[in-house]
Amino acid sequence: MEGMVGVKIPPGEDQAEITRSMRDLPPAHYTFKIENFSLLSNSKVGNIESGDFEVGSYKWRLCLHPNGNKKSNGDGHISLYLVFSKANAPLIGLEVNVDFKLFVYNQTQDKYLTIQDANGRVRRFHGMKTKLGFDQLLPLTLFNDESKGYLIDDCCIFGAEIFVIKHTGKGECFSLMKQPVNGRLTRRIPNFSALQQISCKYEFSAGGHKWALVVYPKGNSSEKGKSLSIYLFLEDREAFSSGRTMYAEFTLRVRDQLFGQHFEKKANCHFSNSIKNWGHLEFMSLDELNTPAKGFLVNNTVEVEAEIHFMTVVKELSGGGPIIGVKT
């Protein structure tokens, strides 16, 4: 049957395992150009290897069988392999996992035939297997036909692109915690009308983090003398790694000490190194707060409250890989 861009798929080759496609970009890591190819193919040389090239902290080579690797079902084809160079330390009891592509340049189309394992298959190099690739890269009848574009003026070009998969051991466990322990803080502010301080700060710990409820009794910024201002601060945000955020849903509340009709506002925020707090500049008017019949100011005392409903929790994993869950 005919494959990509006129490449005849070798009979017997499992097409579920190998894919072929054309692309414009040259190989990212190595190019192997061969001149006077006919002299090579007519000689008794079974295979040739390129020089070493380094990718992913390892040294590699390309190994070409111009008349096919007859020991591995490559007769009548070009065979091309990626080789783990002997210049590396021996792979004794170790494996190097690699996702790689091999290339043949089509000089007529100015494109690269790309051959790779299908379905994201990863190859494993180890002490007993240091040479992996494709026995039937291209049929020789197609490759030697100058009209096909792979061998022109007795010159051909191969290439390689390699991604070494290294396990770093880094990872994190992400969860959403519901109603964290000690996630509700209630504080009484006595002598409210006589307070001289600009703000009152009440610290607490919940969900493994340090928080603070900050109240401006006479209002903050443009709302001074007009509104009560309340904010929730994440106090230990400096410990976050770059780009880390922590999401929280919470309620800020002034308690009605007479009738239980509390005044509250819900909020949510992605806390980070740059976003340290979230709340309300105009939480409630001071006129409403100071009205005795409302029940918010009793015996010159105001009760304020912060309640965290949900928050994200992230822990480092030694084994790597994402784990996502919900804690209730």
Side-chain angles (χ1 to χ4, degrees), residues 198-210:
I198 297 175
S199 65
C200 304
K201 183 177 182 179
Y202 307 101
E203 296 180 341
F204 66 107
S205 296
H209 287 277
K210 295 179 181 180

Side-chain angles (χ1 to χ4, degrees), residues 49-304:
E49 291 190 356
S50 71
D52 287 349
F53 60 97
E54 187 169 331
V55 180
S57 302
Y58 297 103
K59 292 182 179 180
W60 309 90
R61 292 188 172 200
L62 285 180
C63 176
L64 176 73
H65 292 249
N67 293 306
N69 185 355
K70 297 176 176 60
K71 295 180 180 180
S72 297
N73 197 34
D75 193 18
H77 296 80
I78 291 283
S79 301
L80 185 62
Y81 303 92
L82 180 65
V83 179
F84 190 78
S85 174
K86 294 180 180 179
N88 297 298
L91 289 173
I92 301 176
L94 300 175
E95 290 183 345
V96 178
N97 297 316
V98 178
D99 181 3
F100 65 88
K101 302 173 183 176
L102 299 182
F103 299 82
V104 188
Y105 180 49
N106 190 304
Q107 302 172 59
T108 301
Q109 298 184 27
D110 190 23
K111 292 180 182 292
Y112 292 84
L113 175 64
T114 308
I115 303 94
Q116 65 187 111
D117 292 301
N119 302 318
R121 180 187 175 195
V122 174
R123 299 287 195 107
R124 296 184 177 185
F125 289 82
H126 51 81
M128 301 298 292
K129 200 73 173 178
T130 59
K131 178 179 175 180
L132 295 168
F134 305 104
D135 303 323
Q136 301 180 358
L137 189 81
L138 279 179
L140 283 171
T141 53
L142 184 149
F143 181 81
N144 290 324
D145 186 345
E146 189 165 306
S147 67
K148 300 299 183 181
Y150 297 105
L151 182 64
I152 293 182
D153 295 331
D154 213 17
C155 172
C156 54
I157 300 173
F158 302 92
E161 205 166 86
I162 305 166
F163 176 66
V164 178
I165 302 172
K166 295 183 179 180
H167 180 63
T168 64
K170 296 179 180 179
E172 65 184 36
C173 176
F174 173 93
S175 64
L176 185 63
M177 182 182 293
K178 182 179 180 181
Q179 303 295 349
V181 176
N182 301 320
R184 177 187 288 188
L185 174 77
T186 305
R187 287 292 181 267
R188 294 167 59 86
I189 307 177
N191 302 316
F192 185 82
S193 60
L195 284 175
Q196 297 298 316
Q197 62 200 84
I198 297 175
S199 65
C200 304
K201 183 177 182 179
Y202 307 101
E203 296 180 341
F204 66 107
S205 296
H209 287 277
K210 295 179 181 180
W211 305 85
L213 173 62
V214 177
V215 180
Y216 290 79
K218 300 297 189 292
N220 185 28
S221 187
S222 62
E223 287 302 305
K224 286 182 179 180
K226 295 185 288 185
S227 300
L228 182 76
S229 304
I230 303 182
Y231 304 90
L232 180 66
F233 278 69
L234 179 63
E235 293 287 272
D236 56 1
R237 65 193 180 281
E238 290 83 2
F240 284 7
S241 58
S242 178
R244 167 76 63 212
T245 64
M246 195 199 70
Y247 176 76
E249 294 180 6
F250 54 93
T251 296
L252 300 176
R253 181 180 296 122
V254 173
R255 295 179 62 84
D256 179 349
Q257 302 172 62
L258 298 179
F259 313 108
Q261 301 297 314
H262 310 312
F263 186 94
E264 63 184 33
K265 290 185 178 181
K266 297 184 182 296
N268 61 77
C269 178
H270 289 271
F271 293 95
S272 66
N273 284 327
S274 59
I275 302 176
K276 62 181 181 179
N277 67 78
W278 198 262
H280 300 278
L281 183 66
E282 303 175 59
F283 184 76
M284 69 182 301
S285 71
L286 291 177
D287 289 341
E288 183 177 9
L289 177 67
N290 290 318
T291 301
K294 295 286 188 178
F296 300 118
L297 182 64
V298 176
N299 297 325
N300 204 21
T301 298
V302 172
E303 291 186 359
V304 293

